[in-house]
Amino acid sequence: MTVSLQAEPIDVVAEYAALVGEAPGAAVATFTGYVRNHSGENPVGALELEHYPEMALRVLEELGQQAAERFGLLRWRIVHRFGVLPVSETIVWVGAMADHRGEAISACECMMDMLKTDAPFWKREQGPSGARWVASCENDGQRRARWERGERA
Amino acid sequence: MSITIKLFASLREALGESEFQLELAAIPVENEASSVINVASIKTALSARGSQWHDALNQPNLVHALNHKVVYLDAIVADGDELALFPPMTGG
């Protein structure tokens, strides 16, 4: 499975080992996102992630496949959690294997920039003064647009 | 003939509904000469439910997904389709 949606914490060690397997390609890059303990000046206790399961699976599979074609990946994987996630726990993991470091690293960055705006998840921060929906970030849109324009980071 | 409407996140919260069926026969069409129903006509029909619906559905940057793909107001809706409406996504 190259895409998994799950409520359970991501076992990043196992995911890395599975991606590398018996015969790794020359370059392996990964990214792990964790729940931040603050949002601007406000402390965060936990993150609630709502999602649209059927669409999330489809979108993540498509963007992973597009990254694989664009960067010539040998292997790739995306794991995204949903549900109530306490601070310092994993939210998302992406991994890419390629012949060269540029492709592996860029593929991870591209997959992350794309899923931030295209994957149907919505975050709600739980803090001392209650819960509030996280607004989408203009920077995320700009980062995504660069990939459309063919620019690299 | 009906479609499934799904609402997510702050939209779902504001309107108190996550999923319901909508009869296409009850949707006014924009042009009597064609019986095409598109996302725009669905939104107009739902907005008529009251000010809360109108305000929620007319917020800027609302996303429409038809059968799990992002579409725009001109997308044509057919019997059995699933139309999801939600605020901009914040994954990752």
mmCIF file of all heavy atoms in Angstrom, chain A residues 96-144:
data_model
loop_
_atom_site.group_PDB
_atom_site.id
_atom_site.type_symbol
_atom_site.label_atom_id
_atom_site.label_comp_id
_atom_site.label_asym_id
_atom_site.label_seq_id
_atom_site.Cartn_x
_atom_site.Cartn_y
_atom_site.Cartn_z
ATOM 1 N N ALA A 96 10.374 8.816 0.036
ATOM 2 C CA ALA A 96 10.629 8.669 -1.394
ATOM 3 C C ALA A 96 12.008 8.070 -1.619
ATOM 4 O O ALA A 96 12.968 8.440 -0.933
ATOM 5 C CB ALA A 96 10.547 10.028 -2.090
ATOM 6 N N MET A 97 12.089 7.165 -2.582
ATOM 7 C CA MET A 97 13.372 6.551 -2.935
ATOM 8 C C MET A 97 13.630 6.820 -4.410
ATOM 9 O O MET A 97 12.745 6.631 -5.251
ATOM 10 C CB MET A 97 13.326 5.046 -2.676
ATOM 11 C CG MET A 97 14.604 4.322 -3.084
ATOM 12 S SD MET A 97 14.389 2.528 -3.075
ATOM 13 C CE MET A 97 14.411 2.218 -1.319
ATOM 14 N N ALA A 98 14.848 7.274 -4.714
ATOM 15 C CA ALA A 98 15.200 7.590 -6.099
ATOM 16 C C ALA A 98 16.681 7.281 -6.318
ATOM 17 O O ALA A 98 17.373 6.878 -5.399
ATOM 18 C CB ALA A 98 14.915 9.061 -6.393
ATOM 19 N N ASP A 99 17.132 7.507 -7.534
ATOM 20 C CA ASP A 99 18.542 7.262 -7.825
ATOM 21 C C ASP A 99 19.440 8.382 -7.301
ATOM 22 O O ASP A 99 20.629 8.167 -7.055
ATOM 23 C CB ASP A 99 18.757 7.129 -9.340
ATOM 24 C CG ASP A 99 18.441 5.728 -9.827
ATOM 25 O OD1 ASP A 99 18.465 4.795 -9.005
ATOM 26 O OD2 ASP A 99 18.164 5.568 -11.029
ATOM 27 N N HIS A 100 18.907 9.576 -7.217
ATOM 28 C CA HIS A 100 19.712 10.734 -6.802
ATOM 29 C C HIS A 100 19.024 11.517 -5.704
ATOM 30 O O HIS A 100 17.790 11.546 -5.618
ATOM 31 C CB HIS A 100 19.966 11.649 -8.008
ATOM 32 C CG HIS A 100 20.680 10.948 -9.130
ATOM 33 N ND1 HIS A 100 22.028 10.712 -9.111
ATOM 34 C CD2 HIS A 100 20.209 10.406 -10.279
ATOM 35 C CE1 HIS A 100 22.369 10.061 -10.215
ATOM 36 N NE2 HIS A 100 21.289 9.864 -10.941
ATOM 37 N N ARG A 101 19.834 12.192 -4.890
ATOM 38 C CA ARG A 101 19.280 12.884 -3.723
ATOM 39 C C ARG A 101 18.320 14.008 -4.113
ATOM 40 O O ARG A 101 17.326 14.231 -3.417
ATOM 41 C CB ARG A 101 20.406 13.437 -2.839
ATOM 42 C CG ARG A 101 21.175 14.621 -3.414
ATOM 43 C CD ARG A 101 22.331 15.010 -2.504
ATOM 44 N NE ARG A 101 23.029 16.198 -2.977
ATOM 45 C CZ ARG A 101 23.867 16.223 -3.998
ATOM 46 N NH1 ARG A 101 24.116 15.129 -4.697
ATOM 47 N NH2 ARG A 101 24.463 17.357 -4.346
ATOM 48 N N GLY A 102 18.610 14.703 -5.213
ATOM 49 C CA GLY A 102 17.745 15.817 -5.623
ATOM 50 C C GLY A 102 16.313 15.356 -5.820
ATOM 51 O O GLY A 102 15.362 15.976 -5.324
ATOM 52 N N GLU A 103 16.138 14.239 -6.537
ATOM 53 C CA GLU A 103 14.800 13.726 -6.819
ATOM 54 C C GLU A 103 14.104 13.257 -5.544
ATOM 55 O O GLU A 103 12.921 13.508 -5.344
ATOM 56 C CB GLU A 103 14.866 12.567 -7.828
ATOM 57 C CG GLU A 103 15.043 13.006 -9.271
ATOM 58 C CD GLU A 103 16.458 13.429 -9.600
ATOM 59 O OE1 GLU A 103 17.380 13.125 -8.823
ATOM 60 O OE2 GLU A 103 16.639 14.075 -10.651
ATOM 61 N N ALA A 104 14.838 12.541 -4.695
ATOM 62 C CA ALA A 104 14.225 12.008 -3.472
ATOM 63 C C ALA A 104 13.773 13.140 -2.557
ATOM 64 O O ALA A 104 12.648 13.136 -2.043
ATOM 65 C CB ALA A 104 15.215 11.094 -2.739
ATOM 66 N N ILE A 105 14.639 14.124 -2.360
ATOM 67 C CA ILE A 105 14.324 15.246 -1.462
ATOM 68 C C ILE A 105 13.209 16.099 -2.055
ATOM 69 O O ILE A 105 12.245 16.456 -1.362
ATOM 70 C CB ILE A 105 15.581 16.097 -1.189
ATOM 71 C CG1 ILE A 105 16.590 15.278 -0.376
ATOM 72 C CG2 ILE A 105 15.207 17.376 -0.434
ATOM 73 C CD1 ILE A 105 17.957 15.936 -0.256
ATOM 74 N N SER A 106 13.313 16.426 -3.327
ATOM 75 C CA SER A 106 12.285 17.259 -3.968
ATOM 76 C C SER A 106 10.937 16.563 -3.983
ATOM 77 O O SER A 106 9.899 17.201 -3.816
ATOM 78 C CB SER A 106 12.692 17.627 -5.388
ATOM 79 O OG SER A 106 13.789 18.511 -5.368
ATOM 80 N N ALA A 107 10.929 15.244 -4.188
ATOM 81 C CA ALA A 107 9.656 14.510 -4.205
ATOM 82 C C ALA A 107 8.963 14.608 -2.854
ATOM 83 O O ALA A 107 7.747 14.812 -2.782
ATOM 84 C CB ALA A 107 9.891 13.050 -4.573
ATOM 85 N N CYS A 108 9.723 14.483 -1.767
ATOM 86 C CA CYS A 108 9.127 14.608 -0.427
ATOM 87 C C CYS A 108 8.540 15.993 -0.246
ATOM 88 O O CYS A 108 7.423 16.151 0.251
ATOM 89 C CB CYS A 108 10.183 14.379 0.660
ATOM 90 S SG CYS A 108 10.509 12.648 0.972
ATOM 91 N N GLU A 109 9.304 16.993 -0.641
ATOM 92 C CA GLU A 109 8.838 18.373 -0.470
ATOM 93 C C GLU A 109 7.596 18.629 -1.319
ATOM 94 O O GLU A 109 6.620 19.234 -0.860
ATOM 95 C CB GLU A 109 9.943 19.348 -0.841
ATOM 96 C CG GLU A 109 9.560 20.776 -0.513
ATOM 97 C CD GLU A 109 10.715 21.733 -0.592
ATOM 98 O OE1 GLU A 109 11.788 21.334 -1.092
ATOM 99 O OE2 GLU A 109 10.534 22.876 -0.147
ATOM 100 N N CYS A 110 7.627 18.132 -2.551
ATOM 101 C CA CYS A 110 6.486 18.323 -3.457
ATOM 102 C C CYS A 110 5.241 17.639 -2.913
ATOM 103 O O CYS A 110 4.163 18.228 -2.873
ATOM 104 C CB CYS A 110 6.843 17.787 -4.847
ATOM 105 S SG CYS A 110 5.535 18.014 -6.066
ATOM 106 N N MET A 111 5.380 16.383 -2.466
ATOM 107 C CA MET A 111 4.215 15.663 -1.930
ATOM 108 C C MET A 111 3.646 16.402 -0.720
ATOM 109 O O MET A 111 2.429 16.521 -0.568
ATOM 110 C CB MET A 111 4.598 14.223 -1.570
ATOM 111 C CG MET A 111 4.813 13.337 -2.797
ATOM 112 S SD MET A 111 4.946 11.571 -2.427
ATOM 113 C CE MET A 111 6.648 11.465 -1.857
ATOM 114 N N MET A 112 4.501 16.893 0.155
ATOM 115 C CA MET A 112 4.019 17.623 1.327
ATOM 116 C C MET A 112 3.339 18.936 0.930
ATOM 117 O O MET A 112 2.256 19.248 1.429
ATOM 118 C CB MET A 112 5.181 17.932 2.281
ATOM 119 C CG MET A 112 5.554 16.785 3.209
ATOM 120 S SD MET A 112 4.159 16.095 4.142
ATOM 121 C CE MET A 112 3.519 17.549 4.981
ATOM 122 N N ASP A 113 3.950 19.684 0.025
ATOM 123 C CA ASP A 113 3.351 20.967 -0.373
ATOM 124 C C ASP A 113 1.994 20.745 -1.033
ATOM 125 O O ASP A 113 1.060 21.526 -0.832
ATOM 126 C CB ASP A 113 4.282 21.710 -1.327
ATOM 127 C CG ASP A 113 5.478 22.339 -0.623
ATOM 128 O OD1 ASP A 113 5.468 22.397 0.627
ATOM 129 O OD2 ASP A 113 6.414 22.759 -1.322
ATOM 130 N N MET A 114 1.867 19.680 -1.811
ATOM 131 C CA MET A 114 0.602 19.380 -2.491
ATOM 132 C C MET A 114 -0.466 18.914 -1.496
ATOM 133 O O MET A 114 -1.612 19.346 -1.547
ATOM 134 C CB MET A 114 0.799 18.287 -3.548
ATOM 135 C CG MET A 114 1.691 18.688 -4.696
ATOM 136 S SD MET A 114 0.948 19.983 -5.711
ATOM 137 C CE MET A 114 1.878 19.793 -7.211
ATOM 138 N N LEU A 115 -0.085 18.043 -0.570
ATOM 139 C CA LEU A 115 -1.122 17.509 0.308
ATOM 140 C C LEU A 115 -1.622 18.538 1.320
ATOM 141 O O LEU A 115 -2.764 18.466 1.776
ATOM 142 C CB LEU A 115 -0.682 16.197 0.984
ATOM 143 C CG LEU A 115 0.327 16.160 2.105
ATOM 144 C CD1 LEU A 115 -0.325 16.411 3.454
ATOM 145 C CD2 LEU A 115 0.977 14.768 2.167
ATOM 146 N N LYS A 116 -0.791 19.540 1.605
ATOM 147 C CA LYS A 116 -1.225 20.575 2.552
ATOM 148 C C LYS A 116 -2.470 21.319 2.063
ATOM 149 O O LYS A 116 -3.290 21.753 2.851
ATOM 150 C CB LYS A 116 -0.103 21.610 2.774
ATOM 151 C CG LYS A 116 1.099 21.098 3.531
ATOM 152 C CD LYS A 116 0.830 20.844 4.977
ATOM 153 C CE LYS A 116 0.959 22.075 5.831
ATOM 154 N NZ LYS A 116 0.729 21.789 7.259
ATOM 155 N N THR A 117 -2.596 21.485 0.765
ATOM 156 C CA THR A 117 -3.737 22.241 0.227
ATOM 157 C C THR A 117 -4.744 21.372 -0.508
ATOM 158 O O THR A 117 -5.879 21.801 -0.706
ATOM 159 C CB THR A 117 -3.251 23.322 -0.763
ATOM 160 O OG1 THR A 117 -2.487 22.691 -1.787
ATOM 161 C CG2 THR A 117 -2.393 24.366 -0.070
ATOM 162 N N ASP A 118 -4.356 20.188 -0.925
ATOM 163 C CA ASP A 118 -5.232 19.380 -1.775
ATOM 164 C C ASP A 118 -5.898 18.198 -1.070
ATOM 165 O O ASP A 118 -6.862 17.633 -1.596
ATOM 166 C CB ASP A 118 -4.440 18.795 -2.963
ATOM 167 C CG ASP A 118 -3.984 19.879 -3.926
ATOM 168 O OD1 ASP A 118 -4.194 21.081 -3.628
ATOM 169 O OD2 ASP A 118 -3.421 19.535 -4.972
ATOM 170 N N ALA A 119 -5.347 17.770 0.068
ATOM 171 C CA ALA A 119 -5.901 16.585 0.728
ATOM 172 C C ALA A 119 -6.998 17.006 1.700
ATOM 173 O O ALA A 119 -6.781 17.887 2.533
ATOM 174 C CB ALA A 119 -4.795 15.829 1.457
ATOM 175 N N PRO A 120 -8.178 16.394 1.613
ATOM 176 C CA PRO A 120 -9.323 16.828 2.422
ATOM 177 C C PRO A 120 -9.228 16.400 3.882
ATOM 178 O O PRO A 120 -9.834 15.404 4.314
ATOM 179 C CB PRO A 120 -10.525 16.212 1.714
ATOM 180 C CG PRO A 120 -9.975 15.012 1.039
ATOM 181 C CD PRO A 120 -8.558 15.325 0.664
ATOM 182 N N PHE A 121 -8.430 17.175 4.622
ATOM 183 C CA PHE A 121 -8.339 17.089 6.079
ATOM 184 C C PHE A 121 -8.569 18.496 6.599
ATOM 185 O O PHE A 121 -8.201 19.474 5.940
ATOM 186 C CB PHE A 121 -6.933 16.635 6.517
ATOM 187 C CG PHE A 121 -6.593 15.215 6.136
ATOM 188 C CD1 PHE A 121 -6.075 14.938 4.884
ATOM 189 C CD2 PHE A 121 -6.772 14.178 7.035
ATOM 190 C CE1 PHE A 121 -5.750 13.642 4.522
ATOM 191 C CE2 PHE A 121 -6.442 12.868 6.689
ATOM 192 C CZ PHE A 121 -5.934 12.602 5.424
ATOM 193 N N TRP A 122 -9.136 18.588 7.806
ATOM 194 C CA TRP A 122 -9.327 19.891 8.425
ATOM 195 C C TRP A 122 -8.916 19.792 9.880
ATOM 196 O O TRP A 122 -9.341 18.876 10.593
ATOM 197 C CB TRP A 122 -10.803 20.338 8.336
ATOM 198 C CG TRP A 122 -11.225 20.450 6.911
ATOM 199 C CD1 TRP A 122 -11.124 21.543 6.099
ATOM 200 C CD2 TRP A 122 -11.782 19.409 6.114
ATOM 201 N NE1 TRP A 122 -11.578 21.245 4.842
ATOM 202 C CE2 TRP A 122 -11.996 19.939 4.818
ATOM 203 C CE3 TRP A 122 -12.123 18.069 6.354
ATOM 204 C CZ2 TRP A 122 -12.516 19.212 3.770
ATOM 205 C CZ3 TRP A 122 -12.648 17.314 5.321
ATOM 206 C CH2 TRP A 122 -12.847 17.889 4.040
ATOM 207 N N LYS A 123 -8.090 20.756 10.300
ATOM 208 C CA LYS A 123 -7.531 20.702 11.655
ATOM 209 C C LYS A 123 -8.314 21.605 12.587
ATOM 210 O O LYS A 123 -8.641 22.742 12.236
ATOM 211 C CB LYS A 123 -6.073 21.173 11.642
ATOM 212 C CG LYS A 123 -5.133 20.224 10.962
ATOM 213 C CD LYS A 123 -3.745 20.847 10.880
ATOM 214 C CE LYS A 123 -2.761 19.846 10.308
ATOM 215 N NZ LYS A 123 -1.522 20.517 9.907
ATOM 216 N N ARG A 124 -8.539 21.109 13.785
ATOM 217 C CA ARG A 124 -9.113 21.955 14.835
ATOM 218 C C ARG A 124 -8.197 21.851 16.042
ATOM 219 O O ARG A 124 -7.924 20.754 16.533
ATOM 220 C CB ARG A 124 -10.531 21.496 15.200
ATOM 221 C CG ARG A 124 -11.149 22.357 16.269
ATOM 222 C CD ARG A 124 -12.625 22.468 16.164
ATOM 223 N NE ARG A 124 -13.276 21.187 16.248
ATOM 224 C CZ ARG A 124 -14.585 21.021 16.377
ATOM 225 N NH1 ARG A 124 -15.365 22.064 16.453
ATOM 226 N NH2 ARG A 124 -15.115 19.840 16.406
ATOM 227 N N GLU A 125 -7.717 23.001 16.485
ATOM 228 C CA GLU A 125 -6.811 23.043 17.634
ATOM 229 C C GLU A 125 -7.612 23.088 18.915
ATOM 230 O O GLU A 125 -8.564 23.868 19.031
ATOM 231 C CB GLU A 125 -5.923 24.294 17.573
ATOM 232 C CG GLU A 125 -4.887 24.228 16.482
ATOM 233 C CD GLU A 125 -4.236 25.572 16.242
ATOM 234 O OE1 GLU A 125 -4.756 26.588 16.731
ATOM 235 O OE2 GLU A 125 -3.218 25.587 15.540
ATOM 236 N N GLN A 126 -7.192 22.256 19.883
ATOM 237 C CA GLN A 126 -7.823 22.312 21.199
ATOM 238 C C GLN A 126 -6.842 23.003 22.137
ATOM 239 O O GLN A 126 -5.710 22.573 22.288
ATOM 240 C CB GLN A 126 -8.113 20.889 21.701
ATOM 241 C CG GLN A 126 -9.175 20.179 20.893
ATOM 242 C CD GLN A 126 -9.370 18.737 21.333
ATOM 243 O OE1 GLN A 126 -8.733 18.287 22.289
ATOM 244 N NE2 GLN A 126 -10.212 17.991 20.634
ATOM 245 N N GLY A 127 -7.293 24.113 22.731
ATOM 246 C CA GLY A 127 -6.420 24.849 23.640
ATOM 247 C C GLY A 127 -7.179 25.183 24.920
ATOM 248 O O GLY A 127 -8.332 24.774 25.084
ATOM 249 N N PRO A 128 -6.541 25.977 25.799
ATOM 250 C CA PRO A 128 -7.187 26.289 27.087
ATOM 251 C C PRO A 128 -8.500 27.048 26.943
ATOM 252 O O PRO A 128 -9.388 26.925 27.771
ATOM 253 C CB PRO A 128 -6.135 27.156 27.804
ATOM 254 C CG PRO A 128 -5.005 27.318 26.886
ATOM 255 C CD PRO A 128 -5.214 26.499 25.664
ATOM 256 N N SER A 129 -8.634 27.822 25.853
ATOM 257 C CA SER A 129 -9.874 28.582 25.701
ATOM 258 C C SER A 129 -10.854 27.912 24.750
ATOM 259 O O SER A 129 -11.762 28.549 24.235
ATOM 260 C CB SER A 129 -9.554 30.006 25.255
ATOM 261 O OG SER A 129 -8.639 29.979 24.184
ATOM 262 N N GLY A 130 -10.678 26.630 24.518
ATOM 263 C CA GLY A 130 -11.616 25.906 23.675
ATOM 264 C C GLY A 130 -11.002 25.458 22.363
ATOM 265 O O GLY A 130 -9.784 25.468 22.196
ATOM 266 N N ALA A 131 -11.883 25.050 21.423
ATOM 267 C CA ALA A 131 -11.401 24.525 20.145
ATOM 268 C C ALA A 131 -11.618 25.561 19.051
ATOM 269 O O ALA A 131 -12.629 26.273 19.063
ATOM 270 C CB ALA A 131 -12.150 23.244 19.810
ATOM 271 N N ARG A 132 -10.654 25.660 18.110
ATOM 272 C CA ARG A 132 -10.876 26.549 16.980
ATOM 273 C C ARG A 132 -10.320 25.920 15.707
ATOM 274 O O ARG A 132 -9.262 25.275 15.735
ATOM 275 C CB ARG A 132 -10.256 27.931 17.227
ATOM 276 C CG ARG A 132 -8.778 27.933 17.306
ATOM 277 C CD ARG A 132 -8.173 29.331 17.303
ATOM 278 N NE ARG A 132 -6.784 29.193 16.877
ATOM 279 C CZ ARG A 132 -6.341 29.470 15.657
ATOM 280 N NH1 ARG A 132 -7.161 29.974 14.761
ATOM 281 N NH2 ARG A 132 -5.075 29.275 15.336
ATOM 282 N N TRP A 133 -11.049 26.122 14.606
ATOM 283 C CA TRP A 133 -10.619 25.591 13.328
ATOM 284 C C TRP A 133 -9.374 26.346 12.857
ATOM 285 O O TRP A 133 -9.308 27.568 12.935
ATOM 286 C CB TRP A 133 -11.725 25.733 12.281
ATOM 287 C CG TRP A 133 -12.892 24.839 12.556
ATOM 288 C CD1 TRP A 133 -14.087 25.201 13.110
ATOM 289 C CD2 TRP A 133 -12.972 23.425 12.313
ATOM 290 N NE1 TRP A 133 -14.903 24.103 13.221
ATOM 291 C CE2 TRP A 133 -14.248 23.005 12.741
ATOM 292 C CE3 TRP A 133 -12.094 22.482 11.764
ATOM 293 C CZ2 TRP A 133 -14.673 21.667 12.651
ATOM 294 C CZ3 TRP A 133 -12.511 21.161 11.679
ATOM 295 C CH2 TRP A 133 -13.787 20.773 12.111
ATOM 296 N N VAL A 134 -8.405 25.629 12.341
ATOM 297 C CA VAL A 134 -7.199 26.234 11.800
ATOM 298 C C VAL A 134 -7.514 26.772 10.413
ATOM 299 O O VAL A 134 -8.115 26.069 9.591
ATOM 300 C CB VAL A 134 -6.065 25.186 11.714
ATOM 301 C CG1 VAL A 134 -4.843 25.765 11.023
ATOM 302 C CG2 VAL A 134 -5.703 24.682 13.104
ATOM 303 N N ALA A 135 -7.118 28.009 10.155
ATOM 304 C CA ALA A 135 -7.365 28.595 8.836
ATOM 305 C C ALA A 135 -6.278 28.131 7.870
ATOM 306 O O ALA A 135 -5.145 27.869 8.273
ATOM 307 C CB ALA A 135 -7.350 30.116 8.934
ATOM 308 N N SER A 136 -6.646 28.035 6.599
ATOM 309 C CA SER A 136 -5.637 27.657 5.613
ATOM 310 C C SER A 136 -4.625 28.793 5.493
ATOM 311 O O SER A 136 -4.936 29.951 5.761
ATOM 312 C CB SER A 136 -6.277 27.372 4.261
ATOM 313 O OG SER A 136 -6.908 28.526 3.771
ATOM 314 N N CYS A 137 -3.411 28.442 5.122
ATOM 315 C CA CYS A 137 -2.284 29.359 5.180
ATOM 316 C C CYS A 137 -1.906 29.794 3.763
ATOM 317 O O CYS A 137 -1.732 28.961 2.877
ATOM 318 C CB CYS A 137 -1.144 28.606 5.856
ATOM 319 S SG CYS A 137 0.370 29.511 5.945
ATOM 320 N N GLU A 138 -1.748 31.098 3.580
ATOM 321 C CA GLU A 138 -1.412 31.607 2.243
ATOM 322 C C GLU A 138 -0.064 31.063 1.775
ATOM 323 O O GLU A 138 0.125 30.788 0.597
ATOM 324 C CB GLU A 138 -1.371 33.137 2.290
ATOM 325 C CG GLU A 138 -1.402 33.775 0.921
ATOM 326 C CD GLU A 138 -1.362 35.284 0.989
ATOM 327 O OE1 GLU A 138 -1.978 35.858 1.919
ATOM 328 O OE2 GLU A 138 -0.706 35.877 0.130
ATOM 329 N N ASN A 139 0.840 30.888 2.724
ATOM 330 C CA ASN A 139 2.158 30.363 2.382
ATOM 331 C C ASN A 139 2.056 28.972 1.779
ATOM 332 O O ASN A 139 2.800 28.606 0.867
ATOM 333 C CB ASN A 139 3.053 30.362 3.629
ATOM 334 C CG ASN A 139 4.440 29.848 3.335
ATOM 335 O OD1 ASN A 139 4.839 28.793 3.791
ATOM 336 N ND2 ASN A 139 5.172 30.588 2.529
ATOM 337 N N ASP A 140 1.108 28.169 2.289
ATOM 338 C CA ASP A 140 0.926 26.821 1.741
ATOM 339 C C ASP A 140 0.503 26.903 0.272
ATOM 340 O O ASP A 140 0.977 26.136 -0.560
ATOM 341 C CB ASP A 140 -0.136 26.052 2.540
ATOM 342 C CG ASP A 140 0.373 25.625 3.907
ATOM 343 O OD1 ASP A 140 1.596 25.584 4.100
ATOM 344 O OD2 ASP A 140 -0.471 25.347 4.782
ATOM 345 N N GLY A 141 -0.393 27.841 -0.024
ATOM 346 C CA GLY A 141 -0.836 28.011 -1.404
ATOM 347 C C GLY A 141 0.312 28.445 -2.308
ATOM 348 O O GLY A 141 0.428 27.984 -3.450
ATOM 349 N N GLN A 142 1.155 29.310 -1.787
ATOM 350 C CA GLN A 142 2.293 29.802 -2.582
ATOM 351 C C GLN A 142 3.303 28.695 -2.826
ATOM 352 O O GLN A 142 3.843 28.571 -3.925
ATOM 353 C CB GLN A 142 2.961 30.974 -1.851
ATOM 354 C CG GLN A 142 2.130 32.246 -1.895
ATOM 355 C CD GLN A 142 2.610 33.299 -0.922
ATOM 356 O OE1 GLN A 142 3.564 33.108 -0.169
ATOM 357 N NE2 GLN A 142 1.943 34.442 -0.928
ATOM 358 N N ARG A 143 3.544 27.882 -1.823
ATOM 359 C CA ARG A 143 4.489 26.774 -1.975
ATOM 360 C C ARG A 143 3.960 25.783 -3.019
ATOM 361 O O ARG A 143 4.714 25.284 -3.844
ATOM 362 C CB ARG A 143 4.697 26.063 -0.635
ATOM 363 C CG ARG A 143 5.476 26.869 0.401
ATOM 364 C CD ARG A 143 5.773 26.028 1.629
ATOM 365 N NE ARG A 143 6.650 24.917 1.295
ATOM 366 C CZ ARG A 143 7.983 24.954 1.402
ATOM 367 N NH1 ARG A 143 8.582 26.036 1.831
ATOM 368 N NH2 ARG A 143 8.692 23.900 1.075
ATOM 369 N N ARG A 144 2.677 25.529 -2.976
ATOM 370 C CA ARG A 144 2.078 24.613 -3.929
ATOM 371 C C ARG A 144 2.184 25.172 -5.350
ATOM 372 O O ARG A 144 2.496 24.445 -6.282
ATOM 373 C CB ARG A 144 0.611 24.369 -3.584
ATOM 374 C CG ARG A 144 0.002 23.245 -4.392
ATOM 375 C CD ARG A 144 -1.496 23.401 -4.509
ATOM 376 N NE ARG A 144 -2.096 22.268 -5.157
ATOM 377 C CZ ARG A 144 -2.025 22.012 -6.462
ATOM 378 N NH1 ARG A 144 -1.361 22.822 -7.250
ATOM 379 N NH2 ARG A 144 -2.595 20.944 -6.974
#
